[in-house]
Coordinates of all heavy atoms in Angstrom, one line a residue:
M29 N -13.9 -64.6 -9.8 CA -13.4 -63.3 -9.5 C -14.6 -62.3 -9.2 O -15.5 -62.2 -10.0 CB -12.6 -62.7 -10.6 CG -11.2 -63.2 -10.7 SD -10.1 -62.6 -9.5 CE -9.4 -61.2 -10.3
D30 N -14.6 -61.7 -8.0 CA -15.6 -60.7 -7.8 C -15.3 -59.5 -8.6 O -14.2 -59.1 -8.8 CB -15.6 -60.3 -6.3 CG -16.1 -61.4 -5.4 OD1 -16.9 -62.2 -6.0 OD2 -15.8 -61.5 -4.2
F31 N -16.4 -58.9 -9.0 CA -16.2 -57.6 -9.7 C -16.8 -56.5 -8.9 O -17.9 -56.7 -8.3 CB -17.0 -57.7 -11.1 CG -16.9 -56.4 -11.8 CD1 -15.8 -56.1 -12.6 CD2 -17.9 -55.5 -11.8 CE1 -15.7 -55.0 -13.3 CE2 -17.8 -54.3 -12.5 CZ -16.7 -54.0 -13.3
F32 N -16.1 -55.5 -8.6 CA -16.6 -54.4 -7.8 C -16.1 -53.1 -8.4 O -15.1 -53.0 -9.0 CB -16.2 -54.6 -6.4 CG -14.7 -54.6 -6.1 CD1 -14.0 -53.4 -5.9 CD2 -14.0 -55.8 -6.2 CE1 -12.7 -53.4 -5.7 CE2 -12.6 -55.8 -6.0 CZ -12.0 -54.6 -5.8
F33 N -17.0 -52.1 -8.2 CA -16.7 -50.8 -8.6 C -15.7 -50.2 -7.6 O -15.9 -50.3 -6.4 CB -17.9 -49.9 -8.7 CG -18.8 -50.3 -9.8 CD1 -20.0 -51.0 -9.7 CD2 -18.5 -49.8 -11.1 CE1 -20.8 -51.3 -10.7 CE2 -19.3 -50.2 -12.2 CZ -20.4 -50.9 -12.0
C34 N -14.8 -49.5 -8.1 CA -13.9 -48.8 -7.2 C -14.1 -47.3 -7.5 O -13.7 -46.8 -8.5 CB -12.4 -49.1 -7.4 SG -11.3 -48.3 -6.3
I35 N -14.9 -46.7 -6.6 CA -15.3 -45.3 -6.8 C -14.3 -44.4 -5.9 O -14.4 -44.6 -4.7 CB -16.7 -45.0 -6.4 CG1 -17.6 -45.8 -7.3 CG2 -17.0 -43.5 -6.6 CD1 -19.1 -45.7 -6.9
P36 N -13.5 -43.7 -6.5 CA -12.6 -42.8 -5.6 C -13.4 -41.8 -4.9 O -14.2 -41.1 -5.5 CB -11.7 -42.2 -6.6 CG -12.4 -42.2 -7.9 CD -13.3 -43.4 -7.9
I37 N -13.3 -41.7 -3.6 CA -13.9 -40.7 -2.8 C -12.9 -39.5 -2.7 O -11.9 -39.6 -2.1 CB -14.3 -41.2 -1.4 CG1 -15.1 -42.5 -1.5 CG2 -15.0 -40.1 -0.6 CD1 -16.5 -42.3 -2.0
M38 N -13.3 -38.5 -3.4 CA -12.4 -37.3 -3.4 C -12.9 -36.3 -2.3 O -14.1 -36.0 -2.3 CB -12.4 -36.6 -4.8 CG -12.1 -37.6 -5.9 SD -10.4 -38.1 -5.9 CE -9.6 -36.5 -6.3
F39 N -12.0 -36.0 -1.4 CA -12.4 -34.9 -0.5 C -11.2 -34.0 -0.3 O -10.1 -34.4 -0.5 CB -13.0 -35.4 0.8 CG -12.1 -36.3 1.5 CD1 -11.2 -35.7 2.5 CD2 -12.0 -37.6 1.3 CE1 -10.4 -36.5 3.2 CE2 -11.1 -38.4 2.0 CZ -10.3 -37.9 3.0
G40 N -11.6 -32.8 0.1 CA -10.5 -31.8 0.4 C -11.1 -30.5 0.7 O -12.3 -30.4 1.2
C41 N -10.4 -29.5 0.5 CA -10.9 -28.1 0.8 C -10.9 -27.3 -0.4 O -10.0 -27.4 -1.3 CB -10.1 -27.5 1.9 SG -10.4 -28.2 3.5
T42 N -11.8 -26.4 -0.5 CA -11.8 -25.5 -1.6 C -12.0 -24.1 -1.0 O -12.6 -24.0 0.0 CB -12.9 -25.8 -2.7 OG1 -12.7 -24.9 -3.8 CG2 -14.3 -25.7 -2.1
T43 N -11.6 -23.1 -1.7 CA -11.7 -21.7 -1.2 C -12.6 -21.0 -2.1 O -12.4 -20.9 -3.4 CB -10.3 -21.0 -1.1 OG1 -9.5 -21.8 -0.2 CG2 -10.5 -19.6 -0.5
K44 N -13.7 -20.4 -1.6 CA -14.5 -19.5 -2.4 C -14.3 -18.1 -2.0 O -14.3 -17.8 -0.8 CB -16.0 -20.0 -2.3 CG -16.2 -21.3 -2.8 CD -17.7 -21.6 -3.0 CE -17.9 -23.0 -3.6 NZ -17.3 -23.1 -5.0
I45 N -14.2 -17.2 -2.9 CA -14.0 -15.8 -2.6 C -15.2 -15.0 -3.1 O -15.6 -15.1 -4.3 CB -12.7 -15.3 -3.3 CG1 -11.5 -16.0 -2.6 CG2 -12.5 -13.8 -3.2 CD1 -10.2 -15.7 -3.2
K46 N -15.8 -14.2 -2.2 CA -16.9 -13.4 -2.5 C -16.6 -11.9 -2.3 O -16.3 -11.6 -1.2 CB -18.1 -13.8 -1.7 CG -19.4 -13.1 -2.1 CD -20.6 -13.9 -1.5 CE -20.9 -13.6 -0.1 NZ -21.4 -12.3 0.3
P47 N -16.5 -11.1 -3.3 CA -16.2 -9.7 -3.2 C -17.2 -9.0 -2.3 O -18.4 -9.3 -2.3 CB -16.2 -9.2 -4.6 CG -16.1 -10.3 -5.5 CD -16.8 -11.5 -4.8
D48 N -16.7 -8.1 -1.5 CA -17.6 -7.2 -0.7 C -18.2 -6.2 -1.6 O -17.5 -5.4 -2.2 CB -16.8 -6.5 0.4 CG -16.3 -7.5 1.4 OD1 -16.9 -8.6 1.6 OD2 -15.3 -7.2 2.1
G49 N -19.5 -6.1 -1.7 CA -20.2 -5.0 -2.4 C -19.5 -3.9 -3.2 O -18.4 -4.2 -3.7
D50 N -20.1 -2.8 -3.3 CA -19.5 -1.7 -4.1 C -18.4 -1.1 -3.3 O -18.5 -0.8 -2.1 CB -20.5 -0.6 -4.3 CG -21.4 -1.0 -5.5 OD1 -21.0 -1.9 -6.3 OD2 -22.4 -0.3 -5.8
Q51 N -17.3 -0.8 -3.9 CA -16.1 -0.3 -3.3 C -15.2 0.3 -4.3 O -15.2 -0.2 -5.5 CB -15.4 -1.4 -2.5 CG -15.1 -2.6 -3.3 CD -14.6 -3.8 -2.5 OE1 -13.7 -3.6 -1.7 NE2 -15.3 -4.9 -2.6
P52 N -14.4 1.3 -3.9 CA -13.4 1.8 -4.9 C -12.3 0.8 -5.2 O -12.0 0.1 -4.3 CB -12.9 3.1 -4.2 CG -13.1 2.8 -2.7 CD -14.4 2.0 -2.6
A53 N -11.9 0.8 -6.4 CA -10.7 -0.1 -6.7 C -9.5 0.4 -6.0 O -9.3 1.6 -5.9 CB -10.6 -0.1 -8.2
R54 N -8.7 -0.5 -5.6 CA -7.4 -0.2 -4.9 C -6.3 -0.6 -5.9 O -6.4 -1.4 -6.7 CB -7.3 -1.0 -3.6 CG -8.5 -0.9 -2.7 CD -8.6 0.5 -2.1 NE -9.7 0.6 -1.2 CZ -9.6 1.1 0.0 NH1 -8.5 1.6 0.4 NH2 -10.7 1.2 0.7
V55 N -5.1 0.0 -5.6 CA -4.0 -0.2 -6.4 C -3.2 -1.4 -5.9 O -2.9 -1.4 -4.7 CB -3.1 1.0 -6.5 CG1 -1.8 0.7 -7.3 CG2 -3.8 2.2 -7.2
C56 N -2.9 -2.3 -6.7 CA -2.2 -3.5 -6.3 C -0.7 -3.2 -6.1 O 0.0 -2.6 -6.9 CB -2.3 -4.6 -7.4 SG -1.3 -6.1 -7.0
P57 N -0.1 -3.6 -4.9 CA 1.3 -3.3 -4.6 C 2.2 -4.1 -5.5 O 3.4 -3.8 -5.6 CB 1.5 -3.6 -3.2 CG 0.2 -4.2 -2.7 CD -0.8 -4.2 -3.8
R58 N 1.7 -5.2 -6.1 CA 2.6 -6.1 -6.8 C 2.6 -5.7 -8.3 O 3.6 -5.5 -8.9 CB 2.2 -7.5 -6.7 CG 3.2 -8.5 -7.4 CD 2.6 -9.8 -7.6 NE 2.6 -10.7 -6.5 CZ 2.0 -11.9 -6.4 NH1 1.3 -12.3 -7.5 NH2 2.1 -12.7 -5.4
C59 N 1.3 -5.6 -8.9 CA 1.3 -5.4 -10.4 C 0.9 -4.0 -10.7 O 0.8 -3.6 -11.9 CB 0.4 -6.4 -11.0 SG -1.4 -6.2 -10.7
H60 N 0.5 -3.2 -9.7 CA 0.2 -1.7 -9.8 C -1.0 -1.5 -10.7 O -1.2 -0.4 -11.3 CB 1.4 -1.0 -10.4 CG 2.6 -1.1 -9.5 ND1 2.7 -0.5 -8.2 CD2 3.7 -1.9 -9.6 CE1 3.9 -0.9 -7.7 NE2 4.5 -1.7 -8.5
N61 N -1.9 -2.4 -10.8 CA -3.2 -2.2 -11.5 C -4.2 -1.9 -10.4 O -4.1 -2.3 -9.3 CB -3.6 -3.5 -12.2 CG -2.8 -3.7 -13.5 OD1 -2.9 -2.9 -14.4 ND2 -2.0 -4.8 -13.5
A62 N -5.2 -1.1 -10.8 CA -6.3 -0.7 -9.9 C -7.3 -1.8 -9.9 O -8.4 -1.7 -10.4 CB -6.9 0.6 -10.3
S63 N -6.9 -3.0 -9.3 CA -7.8 -4.1 -9.4 C -7.9 -4.9 -8.1 O -8.2 -6.0 -8.0 CB -7.4 -5.1 -10.5 OG -6.0 -5.3 -10.3
V64 N -7.5 -4.2 -7.0 CA -7.6 -4.8 -5.7 C -8.9 -4.5 -5.0 O -9.4 -3.4 -5.0 CB -6.4 -4.3 -4.8 CG1 -6.6 -4.9 -3.4 CG2 -5.1 -4.8 -5.3
I65 N -9.6 -5.5 -4.5 CA -10.9 -5.4 -3.8 C -10.8 -6.1 -2.5 O -10.0 -7.1 -2.4 CB -12.0 -5.9 -4.7 CG1 -11.8 -7.4 -5.1 CG2 -12.3 -5.0 -5.9 CD1 -13.0 -8.0 -5.7
S66 N -11.6 -5.7 -1.6 CA -11.7 -6.5 -0.4 C -12.8 -7.6 -0.6 O -13.8 -7.4 -1.3 CB -12.1 -5.7 0.8 OG -13.4 -5.2 0.7
A67 N -12.5 -8.8 -0.1 CA -13.4 -9.9 -0.4 C -13.4 -10.8 0.9 O -12.6 -10.8 1.7 CB -12.9 -10.7 -1.6
N68 N -14.5 -11.6 0.9 CA -14.6 -12.6 2.0 C -14.2 -14.0 1.4 O -14.7 -14.5 0.5 CB -16.1 -12.7 2.4 CG -16.2 -13.5 3.7 OD1 -15.3 -13.7 4.5 ND2 -17.4 -14.0 3.9
S69 N -13.1 -14.5 2.0 CA -12.6 -15.8 1.5 C -13.0 -16.9 2.5 O -12.7 -16.8 3.7 CB -11.1 -15.7 1.4 OG -10.5 -17.0 1.3
R70 N -13.7 -17.9 2.0 CA -14.2 -18.9 2.9 C -13.7 -20.3 2.5 O -13.8 -20.6 1.3 CB -15.7 -18.9 3.0 CG -16.3 -19.9 3.9 CD -17.8 -19.9 4.0 NE -18.3 -18.8 4.7 CZ -18.5 -18.7 6.0 NH1 -18.1 -19.7 6.8 NH2 -19.0 -17.7 6.6
N71 N -13.2 -21.1 3.4 CA -12.8 -22.4 3.1 C -14.0 -23.3 3.2 O -14.8 -23.2 4.2 CB -11.8 -22.9 4.0 CG -10.4 -22.3 3.7 OD1 -10.1 -22.2 2.5 ND2 -9.6 -22.0 4.7
W72 N -14.2 -24.2 2.3 CA -15.3 -25.2 2.3 C -14.7 -26.6 2.3 O -13.7 -26.9 1.6 CB -16.2 -25.1 1.1 CG -17.1 -23.9 1.1 CD1 -16.7 -22.6 0.8 CD2 -18.5 -23.9 1.4 NE1 -17.8 -21.8 1.0 CE2 -18.9 -22.5 1.3 CE3 -19.4 -24.8 1.8 CZ2 -20.2 -22.1 1.5 CZ3 -20.7 -24.4 2.0 CH2 -21.1 -23.1 1.9
F73 N -15.2 -27.5 3.1 CA -14.9 -28.9 3.0 C -15.7 -29.4 1.9 O -16.9 -29.3 1.8 CB -15.3 -29.6 4.4 CG -15.0 -31.1 4.3 CD1 -13.7 -31.6 4.4 CD2 -16.1 -32.0 4.1 CE1 -13.5 -32.9 4.3 CE2 -15.8 -33.3 4.0 CZ -14.5 -33.8 4.1
E74 N -15.0 -30.1 1.0 CA -15.8 -30.6 -0.2 C -15.6 -32.1 -0.4 O -14.5 -32.6 0.0 CB -15.4 -29.8 -1.5 CG -14.0 -30.1 -1.9 CD -13.7 -29.4 -3.3 OE1 -14.5 -28.6 -3.7 OE2 -12.6 -29.7 -3.8
L75 N -16.6 -32.7 -0.9 CA -16.6 -34.1 -1.1 C -17.0 -34.3 -2.6 O -18.0 -33.8 -3.0 CB -17.6 -34.8 -0.2 CG -17.6 -36.3 -0.1 CD1 -16.3 -36.8 0.5 CD2 -18.7 -36.8 0.8
C76 N -16.2 -35.0 -3.3 CA -16.4 -35.2 -4.7 C -16.6 -33.9 -5.5 O -17.6 -33.8 -6.3 CB -17.6 -36.2 -5.0 SG -17.3 -37.8 -4.3
F77 N -15.9 -32.9 -5.1 CA -15.9 -31.6 -5.7 C -17.2 -30.8 -5.5 O -17.5 -29.9 -6.1 CB -15.7 -31.7 -7.3 CG -14.4 -32.4 -7.6 CD1 -14.4 -33.7 -8.1 CD2 -13.2 -31.8 -7.3 CE1 -13.2 -34.4 -8.4 CE2 -12.0 -32.4 -7.6 CZ -12.0 -33.7 -8.1
V78 N -18.0 -31.3 -4.5 CA -19.2 -30.5 -4.1 C -18.9 -29.9 -2.7 O -18.7 -30.6 -1.7 CB -20.4 -31.4 -4.0 CG1 -21.6 -30.6 -3.5 CG2 -20.7 -32.1 -5.3
P79 N -18.9 -28.6 -2.6 CA -18.6 -28.0 -1.3 C -19.8 -28.3 -0.4 O -21.0 -28.1 -0.7 CB -18.6 -26.5 -1.6 CG -18.3 -26.4 -3.1 CD -19.0 -27.6 -3.7
L80 N -19.5 -28.8 0.8 CA -20.5 -29.3 1.7 C -20.6 -28.5 3.0 O -21.6 -28.1 3.5 CB -20.3 -30.8 2.1 CG -20.6 -31.8 1.0 CD1 -20.3 -33.2 1.6 CD2 -22.0 -31.7 0.5
V81 N -19.4 -28.3 3.6 CA -19.4 -27.7 5.0 C -18.6 -26.4 4.9 O -17.4 -26.4 4.6 CB -18.8 -28.7 6.0 CG1 -18.8 -28.1 7.4 CG2 -19.5 -30.0 5.9
P82 N -19.2 -25.3 5.3 CA -18.4 -24.1 5.4 C -17.5 -24.1 6.6 O -17.8 -24.5 7.7 CB -19.5 -23.0 5.6 CG -20.7 -23.7 6.1 CD -20.6 -25.1 5.6
M83 N -16.3 -23.7 6.3 CA -15.3 -23.7 7.4 C -14.8 -22.3 7.6 O -15.6 -21.4 7.5 CB -14.1 -24.6 7.0 CG -14.6 -26.1 7.0 SD -13.5 -27.2 6.2 CE -12.2 -27.3 7.4
S84 N -13.6 -22.1 8.0 CA -13.2 -20.8 8.4 C -13.3 -19.8 7.3 O -13.1 -20.1 6.1 CB -11.7 -20.8 8.9 OG -10.9 -21.2 7.8
S85 N -13.6 -18.6 7.6 CA -13.6 -17.5 6.6 C -12.8 -16.3 7.1 O -12.5 -16.2 8.3 CB -15.0 -17.1 6.3 OG -15.5 -16.3 7.4
K86 N -12.3 -15.5 6.2 CA -11.5 -14.4 6.6 C -11.7 -13.3 5.5 O -12.1 -13.6 4.3 CB -10.1 -14.7 6.7 CG -9.4 -15.3 5.4 CD -8.0 -15.7 5.6 CE -7.5 -16.3 4.3 NZ -6.1 -16.8 4.4
H87 N -11.5 -12.1 5.9 CA -11.5 -11.0 4.9 C -10.1 -10.8 4.4 O -9.1 -10.8 5.1 CB -12.1 -9.7 5.5 CG -13.6 -9.7 5.5 ND1 -14.4 -10.3 6.4 CD2 -14.4 -9.1 4.5 CE1 -15.6 -10.0 6.0 NE2 -15.7 -9.4 4.9
I88 N -10.0 -10.6 3.1 CA -8.7 -10.4 2.4 C -8.8 -9.3 1.4 O -9.9 -8.9 1.0 CB -8.3 -11.7 1.7 CG1 -9.3 -12.0 0.6 CG2 -8.1 -12.8 2.6 CD1 -8.8 -13.1 -0.4
W89 N -7.7 -8.7 1.1 CA -7.5 -7.9 0.0 C -7.0 -8.8 -1.1 O -6.1 -9.6 -0.9 CB -6.5 -6.8 0.2 CG -6.8 -5.8 1.2 CD1 -6.2 -5.7 2.4 CD2 -7.7 -4.7 1.1 NE1 -6.8 -4.6 3.1 CE2 -7.7 -4.0 2.3 CE3 -8.6 -4.3 0.1 CZ2 -8.5 -2.9 2.5 CZ3 -9.4 -3.2 0.3 CH2 -9.4 -2.5 1.5
M90 N -7.6 -8.7 -2.3 CA -7.1 -9.5 -3.4 C -7.1 -8.8 -4.7 O -7.9 -7.9 -5.0 CB -7.8 -10.8 -3.5 CG -9.3 -10.7 -4.0 SD -9.9 -12.3 -4.6 CE -9.1 -12.3 -6.2
C91 N -6.1 -9.1 -5.6 CA -5.9 -8.5 -6.9 C -6.5 -9.5 -7.9 O -6.0 -10.6 -7.9 CB -4.5 -8.2 -7.1 SG -4.2 -7.6 -8.8
S92 N -7.4 -9.0 -8.7 CA -8.0 -10.0 -9.7 C -7.1 -10.2 -10.9 O -7.4 -11.1 -11.7 CB -9.4 -9.4 -10.2 OG -9.2 -8.1 -10.7
I93 N -6.0 -9.5 -11.0 CA -5.2 -9.6 -12.1 C -4.0 -10.6 -11.8 O -3.8 -11.6 -12.5 CB -4.6 -8.3 -12.6 CG1 -5.8 -7.5 -13.2 CG2 -3.5 -8.4 -13.7 CD1 -5.4 -6.1 -13.8
C94 N -3.3 -10.3 -10.8 CA -2.1 -11.1 -10.5 C -2.3 -12.1 -9.3 O -1.4 -12.8 -8.9 CB -0.9 -10.2 -10.2 SG -0.9 -9.4 -8.6
Q95 N -3.5 -12.1 -8.8 CA -3.9 -13.0 -7.7 C -3.2 -12.7 -6.4 O -3.2 -13.6 -5.5 CB -3.7 -14.5 -8.1 CG -4.3 -14.9 -9.4 CD -5.8 -14.6 -9.4 OE1 -6.5 -15.0 -8.5 NE2 -6.3 -13.9 -10.4
W96 N -2.6 -11.6 -6.3 CA -2.0 -11.2 -5.0 C -3.1 -11.1 -3.9 O -4.2 -10.6 -4.2 CB -1.3 -9.8 -5.2 CG -0.8 -9.1 -3.9 CD1 0.3 -9.3 -3.3 CD2 -1.6 -8.2 -3.1 NE1 0.4 -8.5 -2.1 CE2 -0.8 -7.8 -2.0 CE3 -2.8 -7.6 -3.3 CZ2 -1.2 -6.9 -1.1 CZ3 -3.2 -6.7 -2.3 CH2 -2.4 -6.3 -1.2
N97 N -2.9 -11.5 -2.7 CA -3.8 -11.3 -1.7 C -3.2 -11.3 -0.3 O -2.2 -12.0 -0.1 CB -5.0 -12.4 -1.8 CG -4.5 -13.8 -1.5 OD1 -4.3 -14.2 -0.4 ND2 -4.2 -14.5 -2.6
V98 N -3.8 -10.6 0.6 CA -3.3 -10.5 2.0 C -4.5 -10.5 2.9 O -5.6 -10.0 2.4 CB -2.4 -9.3 2.3 CG1 -1.1 -9.4 1.6 CG2 -3.1 -8.0 2.0
P99 N -4.4 -10.9 4.1 CA -5.5 -10.8 5.0 C -5.8 -9.3 5.3 O -4.8 -8.5 5.4 CB -5.1 -11.5 6.3 CG -3.9 -12.3 5.9 CD -3.3 -11.7 4.7
L100 N -7.0 -8.9 5.5 CA -7.4 -7.6 5.9 C -6.7 -7.3 7.3 O -6.8 -8.2 8.2 CB -8.9 -7.4 6.1 CG -9.5 -6.3 5.3 CD1 -9.4 -6.6 3.8 CD2 -10.9 -6.1 5.6
Q101 N -6.1 -6.2 7.5 CA -5.5 -5.8 8.7 C -5.8 -4.4 9.1 O -5.9 -3.5 8.3 CB -4.0 -6.1 8.7 CG -3.4 -5.4 7.5 CD -2.0 -6.1 7.2 OE1 -1.0 -5.9 7.9 NE2 -1.9 -6.9 6.1
Q102 N -6.0 -4.2 10.4 CA -6.2 -2.9 10.9 C -5.0 -2.0 10.7 O -3.9 -2.4 10.9 CB -6.5 -2.9 12.4 CG -7.9 -3.5 12.7 CD -9.0 -2.6 12.2 OE1 -9.0 -1.4 12.3 NE2 -10.1 -3.2 11.7
G103 N -5.2 -0.7 10.3 CA -4.1 0.2 10.1 C -3.4 0.2 8.8 O -2.5 1.0 8.6
W104 N -3.9 -0.6 7.9 CA -3.3 -0.6 6.6 C -4.3 -1.0 5.5 O -5.1 -1.9 5.8 CB -2.1 -1.6 6.5 CG -1.4 -1.5 5.1 CD1 -0.5 -0.6 4.7 CD2 -1.7 -2.3 3.9 NE1 -0.2 -0.8 3.4 CE2 -0.9 -1.9 2.9 CE3 -2.7 -3.3 3.7 CZ2 -1.0 -2.4 1.6 CZ3 -2.7 -3.9 2.4 CH2 -1.9 -3.4 1.4
E105 N -4.3 -0.3 4.4 CA -5.1 -0.7 3.3 C -4.4 -0.2 2.0 O -3.7 0.8 2.0 CB -6.5 -0.1 3.4 CG -6.6 1.4 3.5 CD -8.0 1.9 3.6 OE1 -8.8 1.3 4.4 OE2 -8.4 2.9 3.0
P106 N -4.7 -0.9 0.9 CA -4.0 -0.5 -0.3 C -4.6 0.8 -0.7 O -5.7 1.2 -0.5 CB -4.5 -1.6 -1.3 CG -4.9 -2.7 -0.5 CD -5.5 -2.2 0.8
P107 N -3.7 1.7 -1.3 CA -4.2 3.0 -1.8 C -5.3 2.9 -2.8 O -5.3 2.0 -3.6 CB -2.9 3.7 -2.4 CG -2.0 2.5 -2.6 CD -2.3 1.4 -1.7
V108 N -6.3 3.8 -2.7 CA -7.4 3.9 -3.6 C -6.8 4.3 -5.0 O -5.9 5.2 -5.0 CB -8.5 4.9 -3.1 CG1 -9.6 5.1 -4.2 CG2 -9.1 4.4 -1.8
A109 N -7.4 3.8 -6.0 CA -6.9 4.2 -7.4 C -7.2 5.7 -7.6 O -8.2 6.2 -7.2 CB -7.7 3.4 -8.4
G110 N -6.2 6.4 -8.1 CA -6.4 7.8 -8.3 C -5.7 8.6 -7.2 O -5.6 9.8 -7.3
F111 N -5.5 7.9 -6.1 CA -4.8 8.6 -5.0 C -3.4 9.0 -5.4 O -2.6 8.1 -5.8 CB -4.8 7.7 -3.7 CG -4.0 8.3 -2.5 CD1 -4.7 9.2 -1.7 CD2 -2.7 7.9 -2.2 CE1 -4.0 9.7 -0.6 CE2 -2.1 8.5 -1.2 CZ -2.7 9.4 -0.3
Q112 N -3.1 10.3 -5.3 CA -1.8 10.7 -5.7 C -0.8 10.7 -4.6 O -1.0 11.4 -3.6 CB -1.9 12.1 -6.3 CG -2.7 12.2 -7.6 CD -2.1 11.4 -8.7 OE1 -0.9 11.6 -9.0 NE2 -2.9 10.6 -9.4
Q113 N 0.2 10.0 -4.6 CA 1.3 10.0 -3.6 C 2.1 11.3 -3.9 O 2.4 11.6 -5.0 CB 2.1 8.8 -3.7 CG 1.3 7.5 -3.2 CD 2.2 6.3 -3.2 OE1 3.1 6.2 -3.9 NE2 1.8 5.3 -2.4
Q114 N 2.5 11.9 -2.8 CA 3.2 13.2 -3.0 C 4.7 13.0 -3.2 O 5.5 13.4 -2.4 CB 3.0 14.1 -1.8 CG 1.5 14.4 -1.6 CD 1.0 14.1 -0.2 OE1 1.8 13.9 0.7 NE2 -0.3 14.0 0.0
G115 N 5.1 12.3 -4.2 CA 6.5 12.1 -4.5 C 7.1 11.1 -3.5 O 6.5 10.7 -2.5
P116 N 8.3 10.7 -3.8 CA 9.0 9.7 -3.0 C 9.2 10.1 -1.5 O 9.3 9.3 -0.6 CB 10.4 9.5 -3.6 CG 10.4 10.4 -4.9 CD 9.1 11.2 -4.9
Q117 N 9.3 11.4 -1.3 CA 9.5 11.9 0.1 C 8.2 11.8 0.9 O 8.3 11.7 2.2 CB 9.9 13.3 0.1 CG 11.5 13.5 0.3 CD 12.2 13.2 -1.0 OE1 11.8 13.7 -2.0 NE2 13.2 12.4 -1.0
G118 N 7.0 11.8 0.3 CA 5.8 11.9 1.1 C 5.2 10.5 1.4 O 4.2 10.4 2.1
V119 N 5.8 9.4 0.9 CA 5.1 8.1 1.0 C 5.1 7.7 2.4 O 4.1 7.1 2.9 CB 5.8 7.1 0.1 CG1 5.2 5.7 0.3 CG2 5.8 7.6 -1.4
H120 N 6.1 7.9 3.2 CA 6.2 7.4 4.5 C 5.2 7.9 5.5 O 4.8 7.3 6.5 CB 7.6 7.6 5.1 CG 7.9 9.1 5.4 ND1 8.3 9.9 4.4 CD2 7.8 9.8 6.5 CE1 8.4 11.2 4.9 NE2 8.1 11.1 6.2
G121 N 4.6 9.1 5.1 CA 3.6 9.7 6.0 C 2.2 9.3 5.7 O 1.2 9.8 6.3
Y122 N 2.0 8.3 4.8 CA 0.6 7.9 4.4 C -0.1 7.3 5.6 O 0.3 6.3 6.2 CB 0.6 7.0 3.2 CG -0.8 6.5 2.9 CD1 -1.8 7.3 2.5 CD2 -1.0 5.1 3.0 CE1 -3.0 6.8 2.2 CE2 -2.2 4.6 2.6 CZ -3.3 5.5 2.3 OH -4.5 5.0 2.0
Q123 N -1.2 7.9 6.0 CA -2.0 7.3 7.1 C -3.5 7.2 6.6 O -4.1 8.1 6.3 CB -2.1 8.3 8.3 CG -0.7 8.5 9.0 CD -0.5 7.4 10.0 OE1 -1.5 6.8 10.5 NE2 0.7 7.0 10.3
P124 N -4.0 5.9 6.5 CA -5.4 5.8 6.2 C -6.3 6.3 7.3 O -6.0 6.2 8.5 CB -5.5 4.3 6.0 CG -4.4 3.7 6.7 CD -3.3 4.7 6.7
T125 N -7.4 6.9 6.9 CA -8.3 7.4 7.9 C -9.5 6.5 8.0 O -10.0 6.1 7.0 CB -8.7 8.9 7.6 OG1 -9.1 8.9 6.2 CG2 -7.6 9.9 7.8
Y126 N -9.9 6.3 9.2 CA -11.1 5.4 9.4 C -12.2 6.3 10.0 O -12.1 6.7 11.1 CB -10.8 4.2 10.3 CG -9.8 3.3 9.6 CD1 -8.5 3.3 9.9 CD2 -10.3 2.4 8.7 CE1 -7.6 2.5 9.3 CE2 -9.4 1.5 8.1 CZ -8.0 1.6 8.4 OH -7.2 0.7 7.8
L127 N -13.2 6.6 9.2 CA -14.3 7.5 9.6 C -15.3 6.7 10.5 O -16.1 7.3 11.2 CB -15.0 8.1 8.4 CG -14.0 8.9 7.5 CD1 -14.8 9.3 6.3 CD2 -13.5 10.1 8.2
N128 N -15.3 5.4 10.4 CA -16.4 4.7 11.1 C -15.9 4.0 12.4 O -16.4 3.0 12.8 CB -16.9 3.6 10.2 CG -15.9 2.7 9.6 OD1 -14.7 2.9 9.9 ND2 -16.3 1.7 8.9
Q129 N -14.9 4.6 13.0 CA -14.5 4.0 14.3 C -14.7 5.1 15.4 O -14.4 6.2 15.2 CB -13.0 3.7 14.2 CG -12.8 2.4 13.5 CD -11.3 1.9 13.5 OE1 -10.6 2.5 14.3 NE2 -11.0 1.0 12.8
Ligands
ZN221 ZN1 -2.0 -7.4 -8.9

């Protein structure tokens, strides 16, 4: 009988999330904690649990408490913590302002 090692080659994708620098905390729409940050989420091709090849990346909003996340999109951002909404009637008029455009 031949004896041979059977080494499982594990490969797949892993996602690494790197927060973008200093930024104000945002309020999470799901758990309402001020723990939402914008981050760069990058997929890596990994072999035997070692990330080897960087693949697609995208910017996301993510909550560090409940793991809620959405892709960054123009025209919408989670409210900054401390931002006071003007009662139930004023919510529909919320318009984020972009100073750098
Ligand atoms: Zn949350």
Side-chain angles (χ1 to χ4, degrees):
M29 281 286 270
D30 289 335
F31 180 81
F32 59 91
F33 288 103
C34 182
I35 302 172
I37 306 292
M38 305 291 291
F39 62 91
C41 286
T42 186
T43 303
K44 294 192 175 303
I45 292 176
K46 187 161 75 73
D48 295 335
D50 278 348
Q51 54 191 304
R54 309 289 181 135
V55 177
C56 174
R58 186 200 276 172
C59 70
H60 304 287
N61 288 293
S63 52
V64 173
I65 53 169
S66 66
N68 190 22
S69 166
R70 181 180 285 277
N71 284 322
W72 288 77
F73 177 77
E74 68 175 9
L75 192 62
C76 298
F77 305 107
V78 178
L80 289 180
V81 184
M83 295 167 71
S84 64
S85 74
K86 62 184 177 186
H87 272 86
I88 59 169
W89 294 108
M90 69 161 283
C91 173
S92 56
I93 292 182
C94 72
Q95 307 304 313
W96 170 87
N97 64 82
V98 290
L100 235 69
Q101 50 199 287
Q102 288 293 321
W104 182 85
E105 58 183 41
V108 174
F111 177 81
Q112 295 294 315
Q113 292 182 334
Q114 297 128 16
Q117 260 79 44
V119 177
H120 67 278
Y122 175 61
Q123 291 277 334
T125 49
Y126 294 97
L127 301 174
N128 56 355
Q129 280 186 12

